[in-house]
Amino acid sequence: MPLRTKIECPECVADLVVKRGGVCPTCGARINKHVARVRTREKRIEQVVAVVGTVLVVGVAVVTSGETLFEGIAAYAIVGALMYYLARRTFV
């Protein structure tokens, strides 16, 4: 499930909850291009996290294919924790 980042007005730094007519409801600054840029960046981050996650899952599956059940579970837990940490740092 994608996480939504907070978009702030580039002029007054107010949180933009609703984009009304392309202007900030607090200060009236034009925000069309700013919102589009932030959403494009967010989409790119989601794509990179998905690709890295897929590569890690396939890599762990290949590496742990001959291991026991417990070693495989441990490897998946480590990779899952790593992906959670990287994704959390990316969206903050």
Side-chain angles (χ1 to χ4, degrees):
M1 177 177 205
L3 302 173
R4 286 284 176 208
T5 56
K6 291 183 180 178
I7 301 176
E8 297 176 342
C9 174
E11 299 293 326
C12 68
V13 194
D15 287 339
L16 298 173
V17 179
V18 177
K19 186 175 95 172
R20 295 187 179 134
V23 296
C24 174
T26 305
C27 68
R30 305 288 294 157
I31 58 170
N32 286 342
K33 292 179 183 176
H34 175 69
V35 170
R37 207 172 29 250
V38 170
R39 286 188 178 161
T40 301
R41 179 180 177 271
E42 183 178 321
K43 182 178 179 183
R44 182 69 181 148
I45 289 170
E46 289 174 1
Q47 291 172 342
V48 168
V49 168
V51 168
V52 170
T54 302
V55 168
L56 285 174
V57 166
V58 170
V60 169
V62 168
V63 169
T64 62
S65 62
E67 304 298 329
T68 65
L69 176 65
F70 295 114
E71 291 168 340
I73 291 172
Y76 273 98
I78 291 168
V79 170
L82 176 67
M83 279 308 300
Y84 173 77
Y85 176 74
L86 291 175
R88 187 177 57 96
R89 281 193 46 201
T90 303
F91 285 102
V92 172

